[in-house]
């Protein structure tokens, strides 16, 4: 592994019982890169992301993050994960805590920061994502977009070297999506290394250094966004993009691609 690789995946396989979701995935993410993973439901995108920080244990293969092999049985996973920030589809905020408390708690319990330092870092990151005025509010008082921005601030407060995003806008009303994507664009502009599973093609086209298209548990095509999204080489990529970029196309065709339904929520 070269020093420039923030993430290296080798021959990654993941099965759930008889269902093989990942079928030998190889790819890398370099320091400072934004890599967007796209593909139909059930293609293995979210499972791949969850294997990167071992929220899912790979059936076979190697995962190296920041020079540390997470799949090594002797790896201290708790220590390794401190350098990883993850933002999920759901916000996972503690409802009984204020916004400020939500962003402070992991800093204090995991990083051992004092109250004053944790509060300073929390306020800085809430300012960065545009919700500093909501410090004393509870999650139930926020919109979905505001809650997701708090979740991003919480992850950033841990000083990660890598941010993982799993469909971060999929649970949001359409008018709230832009605010979250704007925060992610700003992180990319600041040089944050990011691996993003997304269905937001405009974000992938404009922000990603590389786009990875997955289908059926394998990488079908990868490259710069102008190639993968603008001039895809594979028929499966072209079919997927035609349906995403022109939803009416699905209705005319009257059928979904087999992988769209085969794997359910394995994503």
């Amino acid at each position: 592994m070269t020093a420039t690789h923030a993430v290296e995946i080798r021959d990654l396989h993941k099965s759930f019982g008889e269902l093989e979701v990942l079928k030998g995935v190889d790819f890398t993410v370099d320091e400072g890169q934004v890599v967007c993973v796209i593909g139909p439901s059930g293609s293995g995108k979210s499972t791949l992301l969850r294997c990167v920080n071992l929220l899912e244990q790979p059936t076979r293969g190697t995962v190296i993050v920041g020079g540390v092999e997470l799949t090594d049985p002797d790896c201290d996973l708790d220590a390794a994960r401190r350098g990883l920030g993850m933002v999920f589809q759901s916000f996972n905020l503690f409802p009984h805590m204020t916004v400020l408390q939500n962003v402070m708690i992991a800093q204090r319990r995991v990083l051992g920061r004092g109250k004053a330092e944790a509060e300073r870092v929390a306020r800085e990151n809430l300012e960065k994502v545009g919700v500093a005025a909501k410090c004393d509010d509870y999650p139930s008082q926020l919109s979905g977009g505001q809650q997701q921005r708090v979740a991003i601030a919480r992850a950033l407060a841990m000083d990660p070297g890598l941010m993982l995003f799993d469909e971060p806008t999929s649970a949001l009303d359409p008018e709230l999506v832009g605010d979250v994507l704007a925060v992610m664009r700003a992180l990319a502009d600041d040089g944050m290394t990011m691996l993003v599973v997304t269905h937001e093609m405009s974000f992938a086209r404009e922000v990603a250094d590389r786009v990875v298209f997955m289908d059926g548990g394998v990488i079908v095509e990868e490259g710069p966004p102008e190639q993968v999204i603008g001039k895809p080489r594979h028929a499966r990529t072209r079919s997927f993009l035609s349906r995403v970029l022109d939803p009416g196309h699905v209705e005319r065709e009257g059928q979904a691609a087999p992988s769209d339904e085969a794997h359910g929520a394995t994503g």
Side-chain angles (χ1 to χ4, degrees):
M1 173 177 170
T2 68
T4 58
H5 290 329
V7 180
E8 184 172 359
I9 304 294
R10 304 175 189 159
D11 193 32
L12 188 66
H13 293 252
K14 176 62 182 177
S15 296
F16 296 94
E18 297 296 316
L19 177 62
E20 189 177 19
V21 177
L22 298 177
K23 304 174 182 178
V25 172
D26 297 271
F27 82 105
T28 61
V29 180
D30 290 345
E31 295 285 351
Q33 270 195 336
V34 178
V35 175
C36 287
V37 184
I38 64 173
S41 174
S43 60
K45 309 183 301 298
S46 292
T47 299
L48 170 63
L49 201 69
R50 292 173 68 85
C51 284
V52 169
N53 64 0
L54 263 66
L55 287 178
E56 295 289 356
Q57 180 69 43
T59 304
R60 188 168 86 244
T62 303
V63 177
I64 302 172
V65 177
V68 177
E69 182 183 339
L70 273 61
T71 42
D72 183 335
D74 296 325
C75 176
D76 183 344
L77 274 180
D78 288 338
R81 284 184 178 132
R82 289 173 192 166
L84 300 174
M86 186 155 184
V87 178
F88 299 88
Q89 298 177 33
S90 54
F91 320 123
N92 299 320
L93 300 177
F94 293 112
H96 63 290
M97 293 183 178
T98 66
V99 163
L100 186 64
Q101 291 168 337
N102 265 281
V103 182
M104 289 175 60
I105 184 170
Q107 295 184 67
R108 302 204 65 194
R109 292 189 178 179
V110 178
L111 300 182
R113 287 176 177 161
K115 182 178 179 181
E117 183 185 7
E119 180 173 341
R120 176 185 61 79
V121 172
R123 290 185 183 278
E124 286 178 357
N125 283 286
L126 289 166
E127 179 73 34
K128 184 181 294 185
V129 302
V131 289
K134 302 294 184 179
C135 281
D136 296 325
D137 289 358
Y138 289 86
S140 62
Q141 297 173 285
L142 307 182
S143 70
Q146 289 168 336
Q147 290 187 63
Q148 191 62 292
R149 282 185 280 161
V150 172
I152 294 172
R154 178 181 57 189
L156 292 175
M158 304 297 286
D159 299 327
L162 169 68
M163 286 287 288
L164 307 174
F165 292 88
D166 186 9
E167 297 275 16
T169 60
S170 65
L172 302 180
D173 292 334
E175 66 269 22
L176 303 177
V177 168
D179 290 340
V180 173
L181 293 181
V183 169
M184 294 171 64
R185 283 189 177 92
L187 291 178
D189 290 341
D190 287 343
M192 175 65 73
T193 307
M194 297 163 59
L195 181 57
V196 184
V197 170
T198 185
H199 61 276
E200 300 289 346
M201 293 301 114
S202 61
F203 177 86
R205 188 192 296 269
E206 296 166 15
V207 180
D209 296 292
R210 204 164 87 250
V211 174
V212 174
F213 172 67
M214 291 187 66
D215 189 33
V218 299
I219 293 176
V220 176
E221 184 168 0
E222 64 177 308
E226 59 268 24
Q227 181 253 300
V228 176
I229 298 176
K231 297 180 180 178
R233 296 169 181 166
H234 290 264
R236 183 65 190 98
T237 315
R238 291 194 294 271
S239 173
F240 169 76
L241 288 170
S242 71
R243 297 177 183 196
V244 171
L245 300 174
D246 178 16
H249 185 75
V250 176
E251 296 176 8
R252 291 194 299 271
E253 288 290 322
Q255 60 181 18
S259 64
D260 290 354
E261 299 174 350
H263 305 317
T266 57

